[in-house]
Amino acid sequence: MAIATINPATGETLQTFLPLEDGEVAAKLELAQRTFEQYRQTSFQERSQWLQQTANILDKEKADFAKIMTLEMGKTYKSAIAEVEKCALVCRYYAENAPDFLADVTVKTDASHSFIKYQPLGIILAVMPWNFPFWQVFRFAAPALMAGNVGLLKHASNVPQCALAIEDIITRAGFPPGVFQTLLIGGSKVANLMADDRIKAATLTGSEPAGASLAAASGQHIKKTVLELGGSDPFIVLETAELELAVSTAVTARMINNGQSCIAAKRFIIAETIADKFEKMLLAKFQTLKVGDPFAEDTDIGPLATVDIFQELDQQVKIAVENGAKIIIGGSALKNQPGNFYQPTIIKDIPLNHPIAKEEFFGPVALLFRVANIDEAIKLANDIPFGLGASAWTNNEQEKTRLIAEIEAGAVFINSMVKSDPRLPFGGIKRSGYGRELSIQGIHEFVNIKTVWVS
Ligand code: NAP
């Protein structure tokens, strides 16, 4: 894929970038390694100050950064502003909490003193997706840099201006040059990079093929990886749920980021007794959604980020329909409009035995399923290769307990949509990946957890 800014609302190529030559990549690696030797000696206090300053820059210049995001990948401008604010939040969270998370921990044994010491590993490679082009990067960078690691970012090829802006922010905040660098390279270059001894570990957020490829290369060189991959998360609504709130949250949970979020609710699993009502209410809300210019204040859904994503979604909808599914609303591109605009879509009667029922729909398409009871709901929720975050709605205490215990996912949210929060670990199981970001668990992924025993 060419490294370029292509406005998804118009299809216009705004700027193209030459990928780095091998020699340029080597020079950046060299700088990262040299910087690490010094940077690992800096104090938590210094790192915290630089990270607080990063947050200040994000807050102060959020309008500029939001504009780049909307231009490069089409999220609504108002959601891009919120994304920059959340990046500032995660920076402040780790600036304040990392010293505690990484403090020595004494463990009582028969040694005179035994303890756990957390030390940085070195260069960490971050392969990141375009869908939350700032948030995905900062939720990696904030803990990694606080731990004393240095970062190399290989961002998605359609968000090069975001990638360069992030390096610039971190450098301007005062971090030593080389602590965080962007590599403008294609995905095919990543496997070879993992062979370099100086790169100690990698994290990837993205698709299953990309994750599998990075994990294979890392496995060959015995390097740790964290993978945050796709999902087709369930949104279960049972009979005692507060229906109005469940429906309005369902719309938000499905449409967040123009429908392109790994933790967006994708499969709506509704108790038979309330299914007609839920469907009617959901349809009424979908009819009011405004698709259009992502910079307009009243737009709910902007364009899909790339032509590929757009075509794949359209193809999935067609396959579902060819195999017996029914479209309640939408089901095609927005008519007479350039750019990658897709209509808000609801599909029902998807044949459960067809592979399409188990695929991730990365766009504004809701799949509706009906179930007789909680047993069927849990079975259907789990009958999928993914396990990222599930949302379940009920006011029955026994049902809550069962849903929390029995749903196979990295997170279960009861009577709420799934969202990431710096204070809570984030990640998946099954083919949604492994490892955790955020919280104390996130900062412990890329450190040497050193056991110290003094007799
Ligand atoms: P993608 O194609 O996998 O791209 C993600 C990143 O991986 C990009 O930087 C891409 O670079 C790179 N890449 C692609 N192929 C690679 C390879 N063989 N080796 C190494 N790197 C490679 O993903 P996408 O389709 O843009 O993103 C959507 C997917 O990401 C969805 O499945 C979504 O659910 C998932 N996602 C998951 C989370 C989570 O936290 N679990 C969050 C957001 C998105 P190029 O752009 O240069 O190809």
Side-chain angles (χ1 to χ4, degrees):
M1 197 200 280
I3 301 177
T5 300
I6 301 170
N7 184 350
T10 61
E12 193 188 351
T13 300
L14 300 175
Q15 203 174 341
T16 52
F17 295 78
L18 282 177
L20 294 182
E21 305 274 349
D22 290 350
E24 294 171 303
V25 174
K28 284 182 188 284
L29 258 169
E30 182 58 35
L31 174 63
Q33 183 57 32
R34 249 187 297 124
T35 305
F36 172 64
E37 303 302 341
Q38 307 292 319
Y39 181 66
R40 65 178 306 165
Q41 312 292 346
T42 58
S43 65
F44 282 136
Q45 201 192 355
E46 285 171 294
R47 296 176 203 160
S48 288
Q49 273 172 8
W50 295 325
L51 204 54
Q52 292 280 9
Q53 186 52 22
T54 305
N56 295 341
I57 295 173
L58 285 164
D59 274 341
K60 203 160 150 238
E61 300 173 30
K62 62 183 160 197
D64 296 338
F65 305 137
K67 190 172 160 211
I68 306 174
M69 276 193 260
T70 301
L71 213 56
E72 289 200 309
M73 53 66 67
K75 67 171 60 211
T76 60
Y77 178 71
K78 59 192 174 208
S79 68
I81 290 278
E83 182 170 334
V84 184
E85 288 167 351
K86 196 166 171 182
C87 293
L89 183 76
V90 80
C91 289
R92 294 197 173 101
Y93 172 78
Y94 278 110
E96 285 161 22
N97 292 292
D100 285 343
F101 292 159
L102 298 172
D104 291 352
V105 180
T106 298
V107 180
K108 260 189 172 326
T109 63
D110 43 354
S112 62
H113 183 33
S114 47
F115 61 102
I116 300 162
K117 190 167 188 60
Y118 298 103
Q119 293 188 303
L121 294 178
I123 303 175
I124 315 295
L125 177 69
V127 182
M128 290 291 150
W130 45 263
N131 63 343
F132 292 95
F134 267 57
W135 169 244
Q136 300 287 356
V137 177
F138 278 98
R139 81 177 182 186
F140 153 73
L145 301 191
M146 278 308 295
N149 294 306
V150 302
L152 285 179
L153 169 66
K154 182 268 171 282
H155 216 327
S157 291
N158 57 326
V159 289
Q161 295 194 47
C162 290
L164 293 168
I166 293 168
E167 176 179 328
D168 181 59
I169 293 164
I170 291 175
T171 308
R172 276 196 283 139
F175 281 99
V179 162
F180 189 90
Q181 299 176 84
T182 283
L183 302 178
L184 290 184
I185 52 171
S188 59
K189 295 274 182 186
V190 170
N192 278 349
L193 269 182
M194 291 314 293
D196 192 294
D197 281 345
R198 292 166 294 187
I199 295 183
K200 296 293 188 272
T203 179
L204 179 143
T205 298
S207 61
E208 284 181 72
S213 160
L214 179 83
S218 304
Q220 216 172 358
H221 303 287
I222 328 284
K223 291 178 185 176
K224 178 165 184 181
T225 50
V226 166
L227 299 182
E228 304 281 7
L229 309 178
S232 185
D233 286 331
F235 188 102
I236 300 169
V237 187
L238 299 178
E239 193 172 326
T240 60
E242 200 182 313
L243 207 53
E244 182 58 47
L245 184 61
V247 174
S248 57
T249 310
V251 178
T252 312
R254 176 58 280 203
M255 294 307 170
I256 187 163
N257 212 33
N258 306 340
Q260 306 158 114
S261 168
C262 53
I263 50 168
K266 292 175 186 132
R267 295 177 300 138
F268 295 83
I269 299 173
I270 316 298
E272 186 70 61
T273 47
I274 52 165
D276 283 341
K277 213 165 158 193
F278 182 93
E279 188 180 311
K280 226 168 115 194
M281 289 164 76
L282 191 71
L283 173 63
K285 294 217 186 289
F286 268 50
Q287 282 165 336
T288 66
L289 292 171
K290 190 156 183 284
V291 185
D293 175 9
F295 280 103
E297 183 57 35
D298 61 347
T299 293
D300 299 303
I301 302 169
L304 296 174
T306 64
V307 174
D308 284 355
I309 290 278
F310 172 84
Q311 286 174 344
E312 195 181 327
L313 184 74
D314 194 40
Q315 189 61 20
Q316 285 174 305
V317 171
K318 287 197 173 100
I319 291 172
V321 171
E322 279 162 20
N323 286 282
K326 289 193 185 62
I327 289 182
I328 299 175
I329 182 174
S332 61
L334 210 61
K335 306 274 181 300
N336 307 321
Q337 176 103 23
N340 314 327
F341 292 97
Y342 204 84
Q343 295 185 61
T345 299
I346 305 175
I347 306 180
K348 69 174 181 181
D349 300 340
I350 302 113
L352 288 180
N353 54 0
H354 194 280
I356 200 76
K358 300 193 197 313
E359 284 186 12
E360 177 181 36
F361 283 61
F362 218 53
V365 177
L367 310 184
L368 272 190
F369 299 89
R370 291 177 180 224
V371 287
N373 52 41
I374 186 170
D375 296 316
E376 272 190 21
I378 291 172
K379 188 163 175 284
L380 185 56
N382 289 341
D383 186 21
I384 189 117
F386 306 110
L388 204 47
S391 172
W393 294 72
T394 175
N395 281 310
N396 176 309
E397 292 306 316
Q398 279 172 341
E399 285 181 349
K400 285 183 196 171
T401 307
R402 281 198 60 191
L403 290 159
I404 292 166
E406 295 177 38
I407 287 184
E408 296 165 1
V412 176
F413 281 61
I414 301 291
N415 297 336
S416 166
M417 66 181 268
V418 180
K419 47 187 182 268
S420 60
D421 180 318
R423 296 165 295 186
L424 289 166
F426 182 96
I429 59 168
K430 295 156 81 174
R431 295 183 76 91
S432 291
Y434 50 75
R436 292 292 177 266
E437 295 192 276
L438 302 175
S439 187
I440 187 169
Q441 285 78 13
I443 202 167
H444 285 172
E445 290 284 4
F446 296 122
V447 287
N448 175 16
I449 302 173
K450 188 183 264 181
T451 295
V452 184
W453 176 290
V454 183
S455 269

